[in-house]
Each structure stands twice: as structure tokens, then as C-alpha cells.
Amino acid sequence: MKRGKLIVVSAPSGCGKGTILGQVMKDGRYYYSVSATTRRPREGEQDGVHYRFLERAEFERLVAEGAFLEHAEFCGNCYGTLTAPIESHLAQGQHVILEIEVQGAMQIRSQRPDAVFVFIAPPSLETLRERLTNRGTETAEVIAERVAQAERELALMPQYDYCVVNDVLEDAVADFRAIVRAEELKTEQR
Ligand code: 5GP
């Protein structure tokens, strides 16, 4: 059986990456890696579905045990990818999607030459600010911090293999699917 692809996706907060990935993953060939985080759950988020919500002490224990493929601190909270489930899904031929921020992605870049790196960008920083405001889940202070963070993240886009601009959702979904298809067709996969 052909191994799945490890697909690392980063996007500034509010770029609509969740919506794009939700559409892409409808076809069932994908496994979405559920990260661990010390952030508090947002309204509607479920433990084990959106994240594994952990206390900081437990997160640090897992770091010490070497349980994470990568981990990083983002806006005051810790986030990490647990290694164990990833390998088994790749071996089963599923594409594994890691939706992680740029520091974590760069850790994987140095460890996993087999991974594909996709950056999802907003059409502009102004659009991003509007989307975050309309989402209504964060305070004005947090929004300002996340827009500043987005600007820093955008500077790292050239480190990724592909960039998908999320202007029109259907186009962004089609672009993402095209990237995965191209990766599946690479000669080294045969
Ligand atoms: P949020 O708090 O909005 O859910 O996520 C904040 C940022 O953390 C996003 O950029 C998201 O992609 C990133 N993130 C989520 N899980 C992980 C992870 O396991 N590792 C890293 N490095 N970043 C993550």
C-alpha cells in the first residue's frame, strides 16, 4: 500500500483554514491530527475532537517524555503534535494533516523531508482583521496581537512548498486538492 503524505498546513489565525480543510477532508482519505494545547476551549470546542485540552503541567510532562513530534508556544499557550498516531495513519495510506503554526512547522521541516508544507494566506491583512472581528470570539486586544502575529508569519511563507490564497473558498479548496494530487503523482511515490 502507498504511504500517505504528511501535509503540514500553516495559516495566520482567521484565514479560514478550518473551513478549507473541512471541505478537503470530506473525501475520507485524510486523518486530521488532533493537537494538544494548554489553551482554554472556545465555545463549542470539544476535548479530543478539536484539541486535547491539557493543563500546563501535563503538557510539560509529555514534552519531557518526548511524546511530541513538534511543539511551540503561540500567544501565551502551548501547542504540540503527538507523534504516535501519525505514523500509523501514514502507514495505512491516509494523508495526515497537521494544522500548526510556523515555528512547529519549521521543526518538522528539519526532521521530515517527506512532509509537504502548505501556507494558507489571506488576500490582505485588512481582510484578515475584518474576519477576526466578525468571528467575535476574541477581544480587540487579542485581535490586534493576532494581526501582528499574522504579519510575522506571512514573512515565513517562502519556507513553504505551496501557498494557497483564501479569497474565494471554492478556489482555495480546489487549489489545495490540486497540491495533494500533484504530490500523489510524484514519481518518488511509485
Ligand atoms: P488556535 O488557538 O486559534 O486554535 O490556534 C493558534 C495557532 O496554533 C494556530 O496557528 C494553529 O495552527 C496552531 N496550532 C494548533 N495546533 C498546533 C500544534 O500542535 N503545534 C503547533 N506548533 N501549532 C499548533
Side-chain angles (χ1 to χ4, degrees), residues 52-119:
R52 279 183 59 189
F53 294 100
L54 304 178
E55 294 302 325
R56 193 171 271 260
E58 197 179 348
F59 191 96
E60 281 165 5
R61 186 178 59 75
L62 289 170
V63 172
E65 281 176 9
F68 290 116
L69 177 62
E70 62 72 39
H71 63 93
E73 190 149 345
F74 179 88
C75 292
N77 297 303
C78 300
Y79 296 85
T81 304
L82 292 157
T83 311
I86 290 173
E87 271 313 311
S88 65
H89 286 276
L90 290 174
Q92 287 164 36
Q94 280 187 299
H95 299 315
V96 173
I97 299 220
L98 306 185
E99 187 189 324
I100 66 178
E101 53 65 68
V102 291
Q103 303 164 70
M106 292 307 107
Q107 290 171 41
I108 295 178
R109 182 60 124 179
S110 54
Q111 291 175 55
R112 298 288 301 240
D114 57 321
V116 184
F117 294 80
V118 182
F119 194 92

Short mmCIF file of all heavy atoms in Angstrom, two decimals, residues 52-119:
data_model
loop_
_atom_site.label_atom_id
_atom_site.label_comp_id
_atom_site.label_asym_id
_atom_site.label_seq_id
_atom_site.Cartn_x
_atom_site.Cartn_y
_atom_site.Cartn_z
N ARG A 52 -6.73 18.23 22.27
CA ARG A 52 -6.70 17.64 23.60
C ARG A 52 -6.32 18.78 24.54
O ARG A 52 -5.21 19.31 24.46
CB ARG A 52 -5.65 16.52 23.68
CG ARG A 52 -6.15 15.22 23.11
CD ARG A 52 -5.14 14.14 23.26
NE ARG A 52 -4.78 13.89 24.66
CZ ARG A 52 -3.78 13.09 25.04
NH1 ARG A 52 -3.06 12.47 24.13
NH2 ARG A 52 -3.51 12.91 26.30
N PHE A 53 -7.26 19.19 25.36
CA PHE A 53 -7.02 20.34 26.24
C PHE A 53 -6.34 19.86 27.51
O PHE A 53 -6.90 19.05 28.26
CB PHE A 53 -8.34 21.03 26.54
CG PHE A 53 -8.97 21.66 25.33
CD1 PHE A 53 -10.01 21.03 24.66
CD2 PHE A 53 -8.50 22.87 24.83
CE1 PHE A 53 -10.58 21.59 23.51
CE2 PHE A 53 -9.06 23.44 23.68
CZ PHE A 53 -10.10 22.80 23.03
N LEU A 54 -5.11 20.34 27.72
CA LEU A 54 -4.31 19.87 28.86
C LEU A 54 -3.92 21.02 29.77
O LEU A 54 -3.80 22.17 29.34
CB LEU A 54 -3.01 19.22 28.36
CG LEU A 54 -3.11 18.07 27.37
CD1 LEU A 54 -1.71 17.61 26.97
CD2 LEU A 54 -3.89 16.91 27.97
N GLU A 55 -3.68 20.67 31.03
CA GLU A 55 -3.06 21.62 31.96
C GLU A 55 -1.59 21.71 31.57
O GLU A 55 -1.02 20.77 31.01
CB GLU A 55 -3.18 21.12 33.40
CG GLU A 55 -4.60 21.06 33.92
CD GLU A 55 -5.32 22.40 33.86
OE1 GLU A 55 -4.65 23.44 34.06
OE2 GLU A 55 -6.53 22.41 33.57
N ARG A 56 -0.98 22.87 31.91
CA ARG A 56 0.41 23.08 31.50
C ARG A 56 1.35 21.99 32.06
O ARG A 56 2.25 21.52 31.36
CB ARG A 56 0.89 24.47 31.94
CG ARG A 56 2.21 24.88 31.28
CD ARG A 56 2.54 26.31 31.56
NE ARG A 56 1.98 27.22 30.58
CZ ARG A 56 2.68 27.74 29.55
NH1 ARG A 56 3.93 27.43 29.37
NH2 ARG A 56 2.11 28.57 28.72
N ALA A 57 1.10 21.55 33.30
CA ALA A 57 1.98 20.54 33.92
C ALA A 57 1.95 19.24 33.11
O ALA A 57 2.98 18.60 32.90
CB ALA A 57 1.55 20.29 35.37
N GLU A 58 0.75 18.89 32.65
CA GLU A 58 0.63 17.64 31.88
C GLU A 58 1.32 17.79 30.52
O GLU A 58 1.98 16.87 30.02
CB GLU A 58 -0.83 17.28 31.69
CG GLU A 58 -0.99 15.83 31.29
CD GLU A 58 -2.43 15.40 31.12
OE1 GLU A 58 -3.35 16.15 31.54
OE2 GLU A 58 -2.64 14.33 30.55
N PHE A 59 1.14 18.98 29.91
CA PHE A 59 1.79 19.26 28.62
C PHE A 59 3.31 19.11 28.79
O PHE A 59 3.98 18.46 27.99
CB PHE A 59 1.41 20.66 28.14
CG PHE A 59 1.81 20.94 26.71
CD1 PHE A 59 0.89 20.78 25.68
CD2 PHE A 59 3.10 21.36 26.40
CE1 PHE A 59 1.25 21.03 24.36
CE2 PHE A 59 3.46 21.60 25.09
CZ PHE A 59 2.54 21.44 24.06
N GLU A 60 3.83 19.72 29.87
CA GLU A 60 5.28 19.68 30.10
C GLU A 60 5.78 18.26 30.36
O GLU A 60 6.88 17.90 29.96
CB GLU A 60 5.67 20.64 31.23
CG GLU A 60 5.70 22.07 30.69
CD GLU A 60 5.72 23.15 31.75
OE1 GLU A 60 5.81 22.82 32.96
OE2 GLU A 60 5.63 24.33 31.36
N ARG A 61 4.93 17.46 31.00
CA ARG A 61 5.30 16.06 31.23
C ARG A 61 5.45 15.33 29.88
O ARG A 61 6.41 14.59 29.66
CB ARG A 61 4.23 15.39 32.10
CG ARG A 61 4.60 13.96 32.52
CD ARG A 61 3.53 13.34 33.41
NE ARG A 61 2.21 13.29 32.79
CZ ARG A 61 1.84 12.44 31.84
NH1 ARG A 61 2.71 11.55 31.39
NH2 ARG A 61 0.63 12.46 31.33
N LEU A 62 4.53 15.59 28.97
CA LEU A 62 4.59 14.96 27.64
C LEU A 62 5.82 15.44 26.86
O LEU A 62 6.46 14.65 26.16
CB LEU A 62 3.31 15.23 26.84
CG LEU A 62 2.06 14.51 27.35
CD1 LEU A 62 0.81 15.04 26.66
CD2 LEU A 62 2.17 13.00 27.13
N VAL A 63 6.16 16.72 27.01
CA VAL A 63 7.39 17.24 26.36
C VAL A 63 8.59 16.47 26.89
O VAL A 63 9.43 15.97 26.12
CB VAL A 63 7.57 18.75 26.63
CG1 VAL A 63 8.93 19.23 26.13
CG2 VAL A 63 6.46 19.56 25.98
N ALA A 64 8.65 16.32 28.22
CA ALA A 64 9.79 15.63 28.86
C ALA A 64 9.87 14.18 28.41
O ALA A 64 10.96 13.62 28.26
CB ALA A 64 9.66 15.72 30.38
N GLU A 65 8.72 13.56 28.17
CA GLU A 65 8.69 12.15 27.72
C GLU A 65 9.05 12.01 26.24
O GLU A 65 9.15 10.90 25.73
CB GLU A 65 7.27 11.59 27.89
CG GLU A 65 6.96 11.19 29.31
CD GLU A 65 5.51 10.72 29.45
OE1 GLU A 65 4.81 10.56 28.42
OE2 GLU A 65 5.10 10.55 30.59
N GLY A 66 9.13 13.12 25.52
CA GLY A 66 9.43 13.06 24.08
C GLY A 66 8.23 12.63 23.25
O GLY A 66 8.39 12.05 22.17
N ALA A 67 7.03 12.91 23.75
CA ALA A 67 5.82 12.45 23.06
C ALA A 67 5.47 13.30 21.83
O ALA A 67 4.65 12.89 21.01
CB ALA A 67 4.64 12.46 24.02
N PHE A 68 6.08 14.48 21.70
CA PHE A 68 5.69 15.39 20.62
C PHE A 68 6.65 15.33 19.42
O PHE A 68 7.86 15.31 19.59
CB PHE A 68 5.64 16.83 21.13
CG PHE A 68 4.51 17.10 22.08
CD1 PHE A 68 4.76 17.45 23.40
CD2 PHE A 68 3.19 17.01 21.66
CE1 PHE A 68 3.72 17.70 24.29
CE2 PHE A 68 2.14 17.25 22.54
CZ PHE A 68 2.40 17.60 23.85
N LEU A 69 6.07 15.35 18.23
CA LEU A 69 6.86 15.50 17.00
C LEU A 69 7.38 16.92 16.92
O LEU A 69 8.49 17.18 16.47
CB LEU A 69 5.96 15.19 15.79
CG LEU A 69 6.54 15.35 14.40
CD1 LEU A 69 7.71 14.40 14.18
CD2 LEU A 69 5.47 15.09 13.34
N GLU A 70 6.56 17.85 17.37
CA GLU A 70 6.95 19.27 17.48
C GLU A 70 6.05 19.91 18.51
O GLU A 70 4.96 19.41 18.78
CB GLU A 70 6.81 19.99 16.12
CG GLU A 70 5.40 20.04 15.55
CD GLU A 70 4.46 20.97 16.27
OE1 GLU A 70 4.90 22.05 16.69
OE2 GLU A 70 3.28 20.61 16.44
N HIS A 71 6.52 20.98 19.09
CA HIS A 71 5.65 21.77 19.96
C HIS A 71 6.14 23.21 19.98
O HIS A 71 7.32 23.46 19.69
CB HIS A 71 5.58 21.17 21.38
CG HIS A 71 6.90 21.16 22.08
ND1 HIS A 71 7.31 22.17 22.92
CD2 HIS A 71 7.92 20.27 22.05
CE1 HIS A 71 8.51 21.89 23.37
NE2 HIS A 71 8.90 20.74 22.85
N ALA A 72 5.24 24.11 20.28
CA ALA A 72 5.61 25.53 20.26
C ALA A 72 4.68 26.32 21.16
O ALA A 72 3.59 25.85 21.51
CB ALA A 72 5.52 26.06 18.83
N GLU A 73 5.13 27.52 21.51
CA GLU A 73 4.28 28.42 22.27
C GLU A 73 3.76 29.48 21.32
O GLU A 73 4.50 29.99 20.48
CB GLU A 73 5.09 29.06 23.41
CG GLU A 73 4.21 29.82 24.36
CD GLU A 73 4.73 29.82 25.81
OE1 GLU A 73 5.62 29.00 26.14
OE2 GLU A 73 4.22 30.65 26.57
N PHE A 74 2.46 29.76 21.41
CA PHE A 74 1.84 30.71 20.49
C PHE A 74 0.85 31.54 21.29
O PHE A 74 -0.06 30.97 21.92
CB PHE A 74 1.13 29.94 19.37
CG PHE A 74 0.43 30.81 18.35
CD1 PHE A 74 1.11 31.28 17.23
CD2 PHE A 74 -0.91 31.17 18.52
CE1 PHE A 74 0.47 32.08 16.30
CE2 PHE A 74 -1.55 31.97 17.59
CZ PHE A 74 -0.86 32.43 16.47
N CYS A 75 1.03 32.87 21.27
CA CYS A 75 0.15 33.78 22.01
C CYS A 75 -0.07 33.31 23.46
O CYS A 75 -1.20 33.31 23.97
CB CYS A 75 -1.19 33.94 21.30
SG CYS A 75 -1.06 34.81 19.73
N GLY A 76 1.01 32.86 24.10
CA GLY A 76 0.93 32.53 25.53
C GLY A 76 0.43 31.13 25.85
O GLY A 76 0.33 30.77 27.02
N ASN A 77 0.09 30.33 24.83
CA ASN A 77 -0.35 28.96 25.09
C ASN A 77 0.57 27.97 24.38
O ASN A 77 1.18 28.31 23.37
CB ASN A 77 -1.77 28.75 24.57
CG ASN A 77 -2.77 29.64 25.28
OD1 ASN A 77 -2.89 29.60 26.51
ND2 ASN A 77 -3.46 30.47 24.53
N CYS A 78 0.64 26.76 24.93
CA CYS A 78 1.47 25.71 24.31
C CYS A 78 0.61 24.85 23.40
O CYS A 78 -0.54 24.54 23.74
CB CYS A 78 2.08 24.80 25.38
SG CYS A 78 3.13 25.68 26.51
N TYR A 79 1.20 24.45 22.29
CA TYR A 79 0.54 23.58 21.31
C TYR A 79 1.53 22.51 20.89
O TYR A 79 2.71 22.81 20.73
CB TYR A 79 0.14 24.37 20.05
CG TYR A 79 -0.88 25.45 20.27
CD1 TYR A 79 -0.49 26.73 20.68
CD2 TYR A 79 -2.23 25.22 20.05
CE1 TYR A 79 -1.44 27.73 20.87
CE2 TYR A 79 -3.18 26.21 20.23
CZ TYR A 79 -2.78 27.46 20.64
OH TYR A 79 -3.71 28.46 20.82
N GLY A 80 1.07 21.29 20.69
CA GLY A 80 2.00 20.26 20.25
C GLY A 80 1.32 19.13 19.49
O GLY A 80 0.15 18.84 19.70
N THR A 81 2.11 18.52 18.58
CA THR A 81 1.63 17.38 17.78
C THR A 81 2.14 16.09 18.40
O THR A 81 3.36 15.91 18.52
CB THR A 81 2.20 17.47 16.35
OG1 THR A 81 1.84 18.73 15.80
CG2 THR A 81 1.68 16.35 15.47
N LEU A 82 1.26 15.21 18.78
CA LEU A 82 1.66 13.92 19.35
C LEU A 82 2.11 13.00 18.21
O LEU A 82 1.42 12.85 17.20
CB LEU A 82 0.50 13.31 20.12
CG LEU A 82 0.17 14.10 21.39
CD1 LEU A 82 -1.25 13.87 21.85
CD2 LEU A 82 1.17 13.77 22.51
N THR A 83 3.29 12.41 18.37
CA THR A 83 3.89 11.60 17.30
C THR A 83 3.13 10.30 17.04
O THR A 83 2.94 9.91 15.88
CB THR A 83 5.35 11.23 17.68
OG1 THR A 83 6.02 12.41 18.09
CG2 THR A 83 6.09 10.60 16.52
N ALA A 84 2.71 9.63 18.12
CA ALA A 84 2.22 8.25 18.00
C ALA A 84 1.17 8.02 16.91
O ALA A 84 1.35 7.11 16.09
CB ALA A 84 1.73 7.76 19.36
N PRO A 85 0.07 8.79 16.86
CA PRO A 85 -0.96 8.44 15.88
C PRO A 85 -0.55 8.67 14.43
O PRO A 85 -1.09 8.02 13.53
CB PRO A 85 -2.12 9.39 16.22
CG PRO A 85 -1.76 10.10 17.46
CD PRO A 85 -0.29 9.98 17.64
N ILE A 86 0.43 9.55 14.21
CA ILE A 86 0.74 9.98 12.85
C ILE A 86 1.28 8.85 11.99
O ILE A 86 0.79 8.59 10.90
CB ILE A 86 1.73 11.16 12.89
CG1 ILE A 86 0.98 12.37 13.45
CG2 ILE A 86 2.31 11.49 11.53
CD1 ILE A 86 1.86 13.53 13.70
N GLU A 87 2.27 8.15 12.52
CA GLU A 87 2.92 7.08 11.75
C GLU A 87 1.93 6.01 11.33
O GLU A 87 1.95 5.54 10.19
CB GLU A 87 4.07 6.46 12.55
CG GLU A 87 5.40 7.15 12.34
CD GLU A 87 5.73 7.43 10.87
OE1 GLU A 87 5.61 6.50 10.04
OE2 GLU A 87 6.07 8.57 10.55
N SER A 88 1.05 5.62 12.25
CA SER A 88 0.15 4.51 11.92
C SER A 88 -0.80 4.92 10.79
O SER A 88 -1.09 4.13 9.90
CB SER A 88 -0.61 4.04 13.15
OG SER A 88 -1.45 5.05 13.61
N HIS A 89 -1.24 6.17 10.80
CA HIS A 89 -2.16 6.61 9.74
C HIS A 89 -1.44 6.73 8.39
O HIS A 89 -2.00 6.38 7.35
CB HIS A 89 -2.84 7.92 10.12
CG HIS A 89 -3.88 7.72 11.17
ND1 HIS A 89 -5.17 7.32 10.88
CD2 HIS A 89 -3.82 7.80 12.51
CE1 HIS A 89 -5.85 7.18 11.99
NE2 HIS A 89 -5.06 7.48 13.01
N LEU A 90 -0.19 7.21 8.41
CA LEU A 90 0.58 7.29 7.15
C LEU A 90 0.78 5.89 6.57
O LEU A 90 0.61 5.68 5.37
CB LEU A 90 1.94 7.96 7.38
CG LEU A 90 1.94 9.46 7.69
CD1 LEU A 90 3.35 9.91 8.05
CD2 LEU A 90 1.39 10.27 6.52
N ALA A 91 1.10 4.95 7.46
CA ALA A 91 1.33 3.57 7.02
C ALA A 91 0.06 2.95 6.44
O ALA A 91 0.12 2.11 5.55
CB ALA A 91 1.86 2.74 8.19
N GLN A 92 -1.10 3.40 6.94
CA GLN A 92 -2.39 2.90 6.41
C GLN A 92 -2.77 3.59 5.10
O GLN A 92 -3.86 3.36 4.58
CB GLN A 92 -3.50 3.14 7.43
CG GLN A 92 -3.47 2.23 8.64
CD GLN A 92 -4.34 2.75 9.77
OE1 GLN A 92 -5.41 3.32 9.53
NE2 GLN A 92 -3.89 2.60 10.99
N GLY A 93 -1.90 4.49 4.61
CA GLY A 93 -2.15 5.14 3.34
C GLY A 93 -2.99 6.41 3.44
O GLY A 93 -3.39 6.97 2.42
N GLN A 94 -3.24 6.86 4.66
CA GLN A 94 -4.01 8.10 4.80
C GLN A 94 -3.08 9.31 4.78
O GLN A 94 -1.94 9.23 5.24
CB GLN A 94 -4.77 8.10 6.13
CG GLN A 94 -6.04 7.29 6.11
CD GLN A 94 -6.80 7.47 7.40
OE1 GLN A 94 -6.31 7.14 8.47
NE2 GLN A 94 -8.00 8.01 7.30
N HIS A 95 -3.57 10.40 4.22
CA HIS A 95 -2.83 11.65 4.28
C HIS A 95 -3.09 12.27 5.66
O HIS A 95 -4.24 12.38 6.07
CB HIS A 95 -3.31 12.64 3.22
CG HIS A 95 -3.13 12.13 1.82
ND1 HIS A 95 -1.96 11.54 1.40
CD2 HIS A 95 -3.96 12.14 0.75
CE1 HIS A 95 -2.08 11.20 0.13
NE2 HIS A 95 -3.29 11.55 -0.29
N VAL A 96 -2.01 12.63 6.34
CA VAL A 96 -2.16 13.19 7.69
C VAL A 96 -1.99 14.70 7.61
O VAL A 96 -0.98 15.20 7.11
CB VAL A 96 -1.13 12.57 8.65
CG1 VAL A 96 -1.17 13.27 10.00
CG2 VAL A 96 -1.37 11.08 8.81
N ILE A 97 -2.99 15.42 8.09
CA ILE A 97 -2.93 16.88 8.07
C ILE A 97 -2.57 17.41 9.45
O ILE A 97 -3.23 17.11 10.44
CB ILE A 97 -4.29 17.48 7.63
CG1 ILE A 97 -4.60 17.00 6.23
CG2 ILE A 97 -4.29 19.01 7.77
CD1 ILE A 97 -5.21 17.96 5.29
N LEU A 98 -1.49 18.18 9.48
CA LEU A 98 -1.12 18.87 10.71
C LEU A 98 -1.42 20.34 10.50
O LEU A 98 -0.85 20.96 9.60
CB LEU A 98 0.38 18.74 11.01
CG LEU A 98 1.00 17.36 11.07
CD1 LEU A 98 2.46 17.48 11.50
CD2 LEU A 98 0.25 16.49 12.05
N GLU A 99 -2.30 20.88 11.32
CA GLU A 99 -2.65 22.29 11.19
C GLU A 99 -1.92 23.02 12.32
O GLU A 99 -2.40 23.04 13.46
CB GLU A 99 -4.17 22.40 11.34
CG GLU A 99 -4.72 23.77 11.07
CD GLU A 99 -6.19 23.84 11.47
OE1 GLU A 99 -6.94 22.85 11.28
OE2 GLU A 99 -6.58 24.90 11.97
N ILE A 100 -0.74 23.54 12.02
CA ILE A 100 0.12 24.06 13.08
C ILE A 100 0.74 25.39 12.68
O ILE A 100 0.77 25.75 11.51
CB ILE A 100 1.23 23.04 13.45
CG1 ILE A 100 2.20 22.83 12.31
CG2 ILE A 100 0.62 21.70 13.87
CD1 ILE A 100 3.34 21.89 12.63
N GLU A 101 1.26 26.10 13.69
CA GLU A 101 1.83 27.42 13.38
C GLU A 101 3.27 27.26 12.86
O GLU A 101 3.81 26.16 12.83
CB GLU A 101 1.66 28.40 14.55
CG GLU A 101 2.17 27.93 15.88
CD GLU A 101 3.62 27.76 15.88
OE1 GLU A 101 4.33 28.77 15.78
OE2 GLU A 101 4.11 26.60 15.97
N VAL A 102 3.86 28.37 12.50
CA VAL A 102 5.11 28.33 11.72
C VAL A 102 6.34 27.77 12.47
O VAL A 102 7.14 27.06 11.87
CB VAL A 102 5.45 29.73 11.15
CG1 VAL A 102 4.44 30.11 10.07
CG2 VAL A 102 5.50 30.79 12.22
N GLN A 103 6.45 28.07 13.78
CA GLN A 103 7.64 27.55 14.49
C GLN A 103 7.63 26.03 14.51
O GLN A 103 8.66 25.38 14.29
CB GLN A 103 7.65 27.99 15.96
CG GLN A 103 7.59 29.45 16.25
CD GLN A 103 7.20 29.64 17.72
OE1 GLN A 103 7.98 29.33 18.61
NE2 GLN A 103 5.99 30.11 17.97
N GLY A 104 6.45 25.46 14.76
CA GLY A 104 6.31 24.00 14.78
C GLY A 104 6.56 23.42 13.39
O GLY A 104 7.22 22.39 13.24
N ALA A 105 6.05 24.11 12.37
CA ALA A 105 6.22 23.64 11.00
C ALA A 105 7.71 23.59 10.65
O ALA A 105 8.18 22.63 10.04
CB ALA A 105 5.47 24.55 10.03
N MET A 106 8.46 24.59 11.09
CA MET A 106 9.89 24.62 10.77
C MET A 106 10.65 23.51 11.51
O MET A 106 11.64 22.98 11.01
CB MET A 106 10.49 26.01 11.07
CG MET A 106 9.98 27.11 10.14
SD MET A 106 10.17 26.72 8.37
CE MET A 106 8.49 26.38 7.85
N GLN A 107 10.16 23.13 12.70
CA GLN A 107 10.78 21.98 13.40
C GLN A 107 10.59 20.71 12.57
O GLN A 107 11.48 19.88 12.47
CB GLN A 107 10.14 21.76 14.77
CG GLN A 107 10.46 22.83 15.80
CD GLN A 107 9.60 22.66 17.06
OE1 GLN A 107 9.37 21.56 17.53
NE2 GLN A 107 9.11 23.76 17.59
N ILE A 108 9.41 20.57 11.97
CA ILE A 108 9.14 19.38 11.16
C ILE A 108 9.94 19.42 9.86
O ILE A 108 10.45 18.40 9.40
CB ILE A 108 7.63 19.24 10.89
CG1 ILE A 108 6.92 19.00 12.22
CG2 ILE A 108 7.34 18.09 9.92
CD1 ILE A 108 5.44 18.90 12.12
N ARG A 109 10.09 20.62 9.31
CA ARG A 109 10.87 20.81 8.08
C ARG A 109 12.26 20.18 8.23
O ARG A 109 12.76 19.51 7.34
CB ARG A 109 10.97 22.32 7.81
CG ARG A 109 11.70 22.75 6.59
CD ARG A 109 11.10 22.23 5.33
NE ARG A 109 10.73 23.19 4.35
CZ ARG A 109 10.20 22.84 3.17
NH1 ARG A 109 9.97 21.58 2.88
NH2 ARG A 109 9.88 23.73 2.30
N SER A 110 12.87 20.38 9.40
CA SER A 110 14.24 19.87 9.57
C SER A 110 14.27 18.36 9.86
O SER A 110 15.29 17.72 9.70
CB SER A 110 14.97 20.65 10.66
OG SER A 110 14.20 20.64 11.83
N GLN A 111 13.15 17.80 10.31
CA GLN A 111 13.14 16.37 10.68
C GLN A 111 12.55 15.46 9.63
O GLN A 111 12.84 14.26 9.60
CB GLN A 111 12.23 16.15 11.89
CG GLN A 111 12.68 16.72 13.19
CD GLN A 111 11.57 16.50 14.21
OE1 GLN A 111 11.11 15.39 14.42
NE2 GLN A 111 11.12 17.58 14.81
N ARG A 112 11.62 15.99 8.82
CA ARG A 112 10.83 15.12 7.95
C ARG A 112 10.87 15.59 6.50
O ARG A 112 10.02 16.36 6.05
CB ARG A 112 9.36 15.12 8.43
CG ARG A 112 9.13 14.58 9.83
CD ARG A 112 9.32 13.08 9.88
NE ARG A 112 8.42 12.39 9.01
CZ ARG A 112 7.52 11.49 9.41
NH1 ARG A 112 7.41 11.18 10.68
NH2 ARG A 112 6.75 10.87 8.54
N PRO A 113 11.87 15.11 5.73
CA PRO A 113 11.95 15.51 4.32
C PRO A 113 10.77 15.03 3.49
O PRO A 113 10.54 15.52 2.39
CB PRO A 113 13.25 14.87 3.84
CG PRO A 113 13.67 13.90 4.87
CD PRO A 113 12.93 14.19 6.14
N ASP A 114 10.00 14.09 4.04
CA ASP A 114 8.84 13.55 3.30
C ASP A 114 7.60 14.44 3.43
O ASP A 114 6.62 14.22 2.73
CB ASP A 114 8.51 12.13 3.82
CG ASP A 114 8.22 12.11 5.33
OD1 ASP A 114 8.93 12.84 6.06
OD2 ASP A 114 7.30 11.41 5.75
N ALA A 115 7.64 15.44 4.28
CA ALA A 115 6.44 16.25 4.52
C ALA A 115 6.25 17.32 3.44
O ALA A 115 7.22 17.77 2.82
CB ALA A 115 6.52 16.91 5.89
N VAL A 116 5.00 17.69 3.21
CA VAL A 116 4.66 18.75 2.26
C VAL A 116 4.15 19.94 3.07
O VAL A 116 3.34 19.77 3.98
CB VAL A 116 3.52 18.30 1.32
CG1 VAL A 116 3.23 19.36 0.28
CG2 VAL A 116 3.86 16.99 0.66
N PHE A 117 4.62 21.13 2.71
CA PHE A 117 4.31 22.32 3.51
C PHE A 117 3.43 23.28 2.72
O PHE A 117 3.83 23.75 1.65
CB PHE A 117 5.60 23.00 3.96
CG PHE A 117 6.38 22.13 4.92
CD1 PHE A 117 7.17 21.09 4.45
CD2 PHE A 117 6.26 22.31 6.28
CE1 PHE A 117 7.84 20.25 5.33
CE2 PHE A 117 6.92 21.48 7.17
CZ PHE A 117 7.71 20.45 6.69
N VAL A 118 2.26 23.56 3.26
CA VAL A 118 1.30 24.43 2.57
C VAL A 118 0.97 25.62 3.48
O VAL A 118 0.60 25.44 4.64
CB VAL A 118 -0.01 23.67 2.24
CG1 VAL A 118 -0.98 24.57 1.48
CG2 VAL A 118 0.27 22.39 1.46
N PHE A 119 1.11 26.80 2.92
CA PHE A 119 0.77 28.02 3.66
C PHE A 119 -0.54 28.56 3.10
O PHE A 119 -0.70 28.67 1.89
CB PHE A 119 1.88 29.06 3.47
CG PHE A 119 1.81 30.20 4.45
CD1 PHE A 119 2.51 30.15 5.65
CD2 PHE A 119 1.04 31.32 4.17
CE1 PHE A 119 2.43 31.19 6.55
CE2 PHE A 119 0.97 32.38 5.07
CZ PHE A 119 1.67 32.32 6.27
#
